[in-house]
Amino acid sequence: MISKYTTITRANSALLLTLLSVVMFAGGVFAAPPIISASIGQPGQPYGVGLIEIPLDVPIVGQVPPPLQVSDPSHRIFYPFSEDVRIEVPRPSQRPVPQPGRGRLLGRLGNLIREIANDDAEPQYQTVSRRVTFLFIGDSPLNVRLSDARGVLGTFDVVPTNDPVAHGRIIQDWWAGYTDAAHRQINAADYPPWVETYLVAMLSGRLGLPLPDWYLQTDAQEDQLLSTLKLVGGVEGVGEAIFRKHAAGLDHLGASAGDTASASVPLPPPPRWSPLYDNPALQSVSVEPLATRVPPECFYIRYGSFANYLWFRDLSDEYGGDLSKMMTLRGIDNDAAKRVEDQLNVKTTELSRVLGPTVIEDQAIIGRDLFLADGASMGVLFKATNAFLLRTSLNGDRTKLARDHDHVTLDDITISGTPATFLSSADNRVRSYMVEDGGYILITNSFHIAERFLEVGDSQQSLASTASFKLARQLMPLERNDTIFAYFSPEMLRGLVSPQYLIELRRRLSAKSEIAMVRLSHLAASQEGVIAPENDTLGIPGLTSAGFLPTGFGTRPDGSGTVEVGDDVMDTRRGARGTFLPIADVEMDRVTAEEAAWYARIASEYTHRFPTFDPVMVGLQREPVDPATGVERLTIHAEIAPLDAGKYGKWSRQLGPPTRVAMQFAPDDIVALQAHVASEQLGPPTHLFGAIKDSVPPEPEDFDGILNIYRSLKEIPGYLGAWPQPGALDRLPLGLGRGTPVGPGMSRLIGGLYRYTDGSFSILSFWPDILQASLPHLEAVDVSDDAQIRIRIGNLQGSQLQGWVNEQLYERSRQSSVAGAGFLSLLTRQLGVEPEDVERATRQILGADLQCTLGGDYLYSNVSHRWISTAWQGELAALSAPLGYQAPAMKWFRGAAGSVTQYEDRVIADVTVDIARQ
């Protein structure tokens, strides 16, 4: 059931719909008889529309009643929408003057005074009736049961009438409310909102109703570079926009998908890139042998040793194989890392833990992209200590998988004249090439990467031979002994915005959308009885002709399409969702005119505004801090070098020069930040710094509005300062910056702000005591490293700030958890999926599992007849974190420090984080 509030004014509250059908009511006591309507439209309309509204005997004020649910034993009701009708509670000045006596007039006077004092207060509303509108099939009477979490509200015998006028009026009201509620659910979702989007598009098409204004809204003025980064970065909004168009039967230009043009235009050229960095003086820089077998267009993530790989694997396993879960849980669990392992058939076993260090000298992950959610182009490269034993072990695992699974085959093939093996399944869920050359073994899902691996071995034109990689090894030499070293080359980054990659990325999103739509169309057709769940033979053409899929569904310019194979749905060219054909292996020489024009605009932007990509290198080291408690310190060093700062515009010109002067803070500052900035307002390069003490900060919403910002800042025990004194306050008119002296070097400014200055420091705070206590510790000191930005966050364990951060993280997770439960309830109420089948249906629609972001398990409540989470400890999620709740980040975070340094030719970021291992 989709639900919402409808607010009506006192003037139009009497205009509620009148009774349009013969009604018999059984059970329930209300303030007035329920208002009930059910009507059938013109011939050809697939649905009738019904409405039941229950006036409340006692209005509900200040509470949200549980959503209404509607059902009938014949299962003829679909797509219900419930709303609570509210009116504004009259203010004291709007109420009749009471009779004198018993203090009534004095009470009214007090209420009027409070009203005047709180004139800007939000109006208060009361729920006066509850309404549900629904579609139904057939024209015979309906026996409708209305209920909520508290029980059955009533049973209604509804006799539909043949009244096209009433049908048109009510269905328009239903559509406006239904689409508005779907929009709110989409905005609250922490998952791809494909169910809500599909229902709106499908019902719009079958009923001939216009799509809502929000459905196809796009930001036409969005920067082309930003939109490209969103596409490459997998930002969910890009895929959602493409899904919406496909669900409505539209192409990328908004035209009917049935008119899709053929791919008859040559592949457009890439941007005109600037020449790659070159420096012959770097030829003597030492590099590791493993990098000599990596193609320059591949990323390179090196572990250095099998022991380092096991450390990373164990850390990842502590969080379910996904390190992002260290920060927060997402609404969907994509399990991408496991899918890649299964696809390559490279898994860590107890035996491999023992044998690995004896047969593997070095190893790395290489690839053209990291599109793990849909299917990456990547592989694992080994430098063998004992090639025979490593080869034998890997071949044994591959042979066993093919022997144990009929759908998996292992074939001997040849790649560039070199013997290799190919382990595969038809849906690409298993896709693994294994090739060996000169003591190096590569296992990859990409034939193209395997080819390039062999080519690099012959030509020696490898990643290690490029000047930019040699610079990386000069800046981050092998002697660092990094636990993990990652390098993203300019060639790799350029490849991500090549015409092949970007056009195929967009085609992939279309393929994903269509697979999900086929799944959804089966559910919709099944609940309406168009197909039988146990004997679904309608197929995609039948679903299209029945209106559950849009006209022209499946028409694609590259000739691919969506096909059903048994219980699976996949793309004819790309395979199963989640393990699509690697983009590196996609052959593309022709595109549509629209695709060529779209990419040409992108290429032009990069040519003129961003003609080169700067290499990115990251090194991670680990060391024990307290073995007794399992605390480790991770040190992360990252550089962008060589750097072309000009293309980053004004953002690269905000910092002053690197400096070895840093601010020393008070020891009880729990968070401290400093920056060396250059500004016209502040004059010459200046150190700005600030810190806060352990406290409970105001809520984020308390900073809404200038007055609230001021009030909130007054509550934060901290200070803000500058060194050398910038003098900006002294330049305020009438001497306002200097304020009224209240002590040596101390003055009180307008608004209760205190300022201390001694000729070198200028420090502001709303807390004079804190300011005085911190002053003896504040000092500009010499340090050993250059930086412009420095930050320190203390160990939050046991602090007041820990509780506040935990509460903020809980609130975000609570909202996502509620939205996830709402998604499952949507499947049950809008698509008729039985609770025991919801988990499987979710995986089929989203291509991933839904997970509760509070760490609980979703289950169907037989009390409220909706989905809830065990983490809620009841039917509703608590508004505040329950006792014992600890957000994922709070479980391991034990303090951090960081710095950023920008030179003319490179940017450096250093971070240290103390983590508690599980």
Side-chain angles (χ1 to χ4, degrees):
M1 178 83 70
I2 294 180
S3 61
K4 64 166 280 188
Y5 278 121
T6 292
T7 303
I8 59 177
T9 64
R10 183 176 301 277
N12 64 18
S13 62
L15 299 179
L16 300 173
L17 292 172
T18 57
L19 182 63
L20 297 175
S21 61
V22 179
V23 180
M24 294 194 312
F25 165 66
V29 178
F30 307 102
I35 298 170
I36 302 179
S37 171
S39 57
I40 303 171
Q42 297 285 356
Q45 282 283 352
Y47 308 106
V49 60
L51 177 148
I52 300 175
E53 181 169 330
I54 303 175
L56 298 180
D57 186 22
V58 178
I60 301 174
V61 181
Q63 296 182 11
V64 179
L68 290 173
Q69 300 173 47
V70 62
S71 61
D72 73 303
S74 59
H75 303 291
R76 291 166 50 204
I77 290 178
F78 308 107
Y79 315 116
F81 159 65
S82 72
E83 55 189 329
D84 293 321
V85 181
R86 305 190 303 171
I87 63 172
E88 185 177 345
V89 176
R91 296 191 172 197
S93 60
Q94 298 171 332
R95 300 171 190 168
V97 178
Q99 294 294 324
R102 297 185 178 180
R104 285 190 287 262
L105 287 177
L106 288 176
R108 175 177 172 79
L109 180 60
N111 290 334
L112 288 172
I113 293 173
R114 281 189 290 272
E115 178 183 335
I116 294 171
N118 296 280
D119 187 55
D120 58 346
E122 291 289 331
Q124 192 175 23
Y125 293 92
Q126 57 186 349
T127 301
V128 296
S129 66
R130 311 198 66 194
R131 179 192 301 161
V132 62
T133 316
F134 53 88
L135 305 183
F136 62 88
I137 57 176
D139 55 7
S140 58
L142 292 160
N143 183 253
V144 181
R145 189 183 77 162
L146 204 61
S147 61
D148 64 15
R150 298 167 296 191
V152 177
L153 301 180
T155 303
F156 307 84
D157 289 333
V158 180
V159 180
T161 61
N162 190 353
D163 189 338
V165 175
H167 178 277
R169 182 173 67 248
I170 300 175
I171 208 166
Q172 289 292 340
D173 291 341
W174 166 83
W175 184 239
Y178 188 92
T179 56
D180 182 56
H183 191 206
R184 286 198 310 277
Q185 178 96 2
I186 288 172
N187 290 337
D190 191 25
Y191 53 82
W194 292 342
V195 174
E196 301 92 325
T197 302
Y198 167 78
L199 288 172
V200 169
M202 183 270 291
L203 292 170
S204 169
R206 296 184 71 196
L207 292 168
L209 294 169
L211 289 168
D213 292 339
W214 55 263
Y215 188 90
L216 293 176
Q217 280 182 348
T218 58
D219 186 1
Q221 303 301 317
E222 184 175 54
D223 184 271
Q224 192 73 63
L225 295 182
L226 178 60
S227 63
T228 303
L229 290 175
K230 287 182 177 180
L231 178 60
V232 172
V235 174
E236 292 175 354
V238 179
E240 292 168 14
I242 289 177
F243 184 93
R244 286 185 184 183
K245 290 181 178 179
H246 277 275
L250 305 174
D251 62 15
H252 293 292
L253 292 175
S256 172
D259 302 328
T260 300
S262 61
S264 57
V265 178
L267 192 68
R272 294 192 300 275
W273 300 111
S274 299
L276 291 168
Y277 172 77
D278 189 24
N279 187 350
L282 297 170
Q283 288 298 321
S284 61
V285 174
S286 297
V287 298
E288 62 271 32
L290 192 68
T292 65
R293 304 310 302 264
V294 179
E297 68 274 16
C298 286
F299 67 80
Y300 175 62
I301 302 175
R302 176 181 182 249
Y303 295 102
S305 68
F306 193 74
N308 288 341
Y309 168 75
L310 289 180
W311 171 85
F312 178 79
R313 178 59 188 266
D314 290 343
L315 178 64
S316 179
D317 285 346
E318 291 176 11
Y319 298 91
D322 183 359
L323 287 180
S324 67
K325 293 179 180 179
M326 291 181 70
M327 298 304 300
T328 184
L329 295 179
R330 288 291 313 279
I332 58 173
D333 185 6
N334 204 284
D335 209 10
K338 183 179 183 302
R339 270 207 313 275
V340 173
E341 282 188 353
D342 291 342
Q343 187 182 44
L344 295 177
N345 193 43
V346 179
K347 299 181 179 180
T348 303
T349 64
E350 290 304 319
L351 180 60
S352 66
R353 284 177 174 271
V354 176
L355 293 180
T358 66
V359 298
I360 297 174
E361 178 182 332
D362 203 352
Q363 72 179 90
I365 297 174
I366 68 171
R368 293 285 306 277
D369 61 71
L370 284 166
F371 302 141
L372 299 179
D374 299 325
S377 304
M378 62 189 305
V380 182
L381 178 61
F382 301 98
K383 184 178 188 299
T385 302
N386 188 321
F388 173 78
L389 288 179
L390 179 58
R391 181 191 322 116
T392 302
S393 175
L394 293 172
N395 279 332
D397 292 340
R398 295 163 73 82
T399 301
K400 183 177 186 304
L401 184 70
R403 184 178 63 243
D404 294 347
H405 297 84
D406 293 338
H407 67 285
V408 178
T409 61
L410 179 62
D411 299 309
D412 292 323
I413 63 172
T414 299
I415 302 176
S416 299
T418 301
T421 61
F422 181 42
L423 184 71
S424 64
S425 62
D427 55 9
N428 281 334
R429 288 191 172 98
V430 178
R431 181 181 175 88
S432 177
Y433 295 92
M434 177 174 161
V435 61
E436 180 181 353
D437 185 41
Y440 296 89
I441 296 177
L442 174 67
I443 298 179
T444 177
N445 59 7
S446 168
F447 182 86
H448 175 76
I449 291 178
E451 274 190 321
R452 291 287 293 130
F453 162 72
L454 295 172
E455 289 175 9
V456 163
D458 292 335
S459 69
Q460 299 300 306
Q461 300 299 310
S462 67
L463 180 70
S465 69
T466 64
S468 59
F469 185 80
K470 287 184 177 294
L471 176 64
R473 275 313 188 192
Q474 183 183 66
L475 298 173
M476 299 179 64
L478 293 171
E479 290 74 20
R480 284 173 47 91
N481 290 320
D482 290 313
T483 303
I484 299 174
F485 172 78
Y487 181 77
F488 302 90
S489 69
E491 294 91 333
M492 177 261 171
L493 297 172
R494 291 180 180 187
L496 294 179
V497 294
S498 67
Q500 177 195 13
Y501 255 81
L502 289 186
I503 293 173
E504 174 58 19
L505 272 176
R506 207 166 63 149
R507 290 179 178 180
R508 271 188 170 197
L509 292 175
S510 296
K512 285 178 59 178
S513 298
E514 291 191 0
I515 290 172
M517 287 169 59
V518 169
R519 294 294 194 185
L520 288 163
S521 66
H522 276 284
L523 295 176
S526 177
Q527 79 155 343
E528 293 190 29
V530 177
I531 56 176
E534 68 279 0
N535 186 26
D536 182 359
T537 58
L538 194 59
I540 292 175
L543 291 166
T544 302
S545 62
F548 293 101
L549 290 172
T551 302
F553 178 84
T555 304
R556 300 218 204 111
D558 63 353
S560 64
T562 304
V563 63
E564 296 178 280
V565 181
D567 292 334
D568 208 350
V569 181
M570 64 182 68
D571 185 86
T572 56
R573 186 179 190 186
R574 297 164 182 86
R577 183 173 46 179
T579 51
F580 278 161
L581 179 71
I583 297 181
D585 287 357
V586 172
E587 296 181 2
M588 182 186 300
D589 58 3
R590 294 281 169 176
V591 298
T592 67
E594 184 275 330
E595 289 173 330
W598 171 75
Y599 183 79
R601 292 191 295 272
I602 294 173
S604 177
E605 288 293 306
Y606 275 93
T607 296
H608 294 99
R609 296 175 53 196
F610 214 88
T612 185
F613 280 102
D614 302 318
V616 179
M617 62 204 79
V618 181
L620 181 147
Q621 299 173 340
R622 72 185 195 274
E623 62 176 322
V625 174
D626 186 355
T629 59
V631 176
E632 283 186 336
R633 175 163 296 160
L634 304 184
T635 302
I636 302 168
H637 177 84
E639 296 201 26
I640 300 177
L643 174 73
D644 176 15
K647 62 179 177 287
Y648 298 103
K650 64 179 182 180
W651 302 108
S652 63
R653 300 190 295 269
Q654 301 303 305
L655 297 177
T659 176
R660 294 195 174 189
V661 175
M663 294 300 117
Q664 176 180 282
F665 291 90
D668 59 341
D669 293 335
I670 197 165
V671 178
L673 174 67
Q674 55 186 297
H676 192 220
V677 301
S679 167
E680 293 181 1
Q681 289 74 28
L682 296 176
T686 303
H687 291 266
L688 295 182
F689 58 92
I692 62 173
K693 310 295 183 182
D694 185 22
S695 60
V696 179
E699 299 299 316
E701 56 268 22
D702 293 339
F703 289 87
D704 186 18
I706 295 178
L707 186 58
N708 287 332
I709 291 176
Y710 167 74
R711 291 170 177 167
S712 299
L713 289 176
K714 288 189 68 174
E715 297 179 19
I716 299 176
Y719 54 87
L720 179 68
W723 178 90
Q725 178 178 333
L729 292 175
D730 294 324
R731 292 194 292 270
L732 290 175
L734 303 179
L736 297 179
R738 289 182 289 275
T740 304
V742 293
M746 187 81 71
S747 57
R748 189 177 190 275
L749 281 61
I750 292 177
L753 189 64
Y754 289 84
R755 179 192 183 197
Y756 171 83
T757 180
D758 64 357
S760 59
F761 280 92
S762 180
I763 307 172
L764 301 173
S765 177
F766 285 104
W767 299 67
D769 294 341
I770 288 178
L771 190 54
Q772 292 282 11
S774 300
L775 285 176
H777 304 283
L778 298 180
E779 184 180 0
V781 298
D782 293 329
V783 293
S784 60
D785 59 313
D786 290 323
Q788 287 116 324
I789 300 174
R790 303 176 195 268
I791 185 172
R792 176 179 58 81
I793 304 174
N795 187 352
L796 302 184
Q797 294 296 303
S799 68
Q800 297 180 68
L801 189 58
Q802 178 193 21
W804 182 84
V805 173
N806 193 60
E807 189 69 38
Q808 301 306 310
L809 295 174
Y810 170 81
E811 173 57 22
R812 183 191 181 283
S813 296
R814 183 192 70 83
Q815 294 177 6
S816 182
S817 175
V818 171
F823 170 84
L824 299 177
S825 296
L826 200 67
L827 291 180
T828 301
R829 297 171 182 172
Q830 294 291 321
L831 288 171
V833 182
E834 295 296 332
E836 60 269 21
D837 297 326
V838 161
E839 182 178 348
R840 179 174 61 89
T842 298
R843 191 178 301 111
Q844 290 177 339
I845 295 167
L846 301 179
D849 291 318
L850 203 68
Q851 68 177 351
C852 173
T853 50
L854 291 175
D857 295 317
Y858 288 121
L859 56 84
Y860 186 75
S861 169
N862 291 317
V863 176
S864 59
H865 301 288
R866 61 190 182 93
W867 286 84
I868 61 175
S869 170
T870 55
W872 300 357
Q873 302 177 12
E875 293 291 318
L876 298 174
L879 296 179
S880 298
L883 186 65
Y885 173 80
Q886 196 172 21
M890 294 294 97
K891 295 178 181 179
W892 59 264
F893 183 81
R894 297 297 183 269
S899 66
V900 174
T901 311
Q902 177 182 302
Y903 297 101
E904 289 186 2
D905 59 351
R906 59 186 175 131
V907 172
I908 301 173
D910 286 295
V911 178
T912 60
V913 184
D914 291 345
I915 65 171
R917 298 291 297 271
Q918 294 183 5

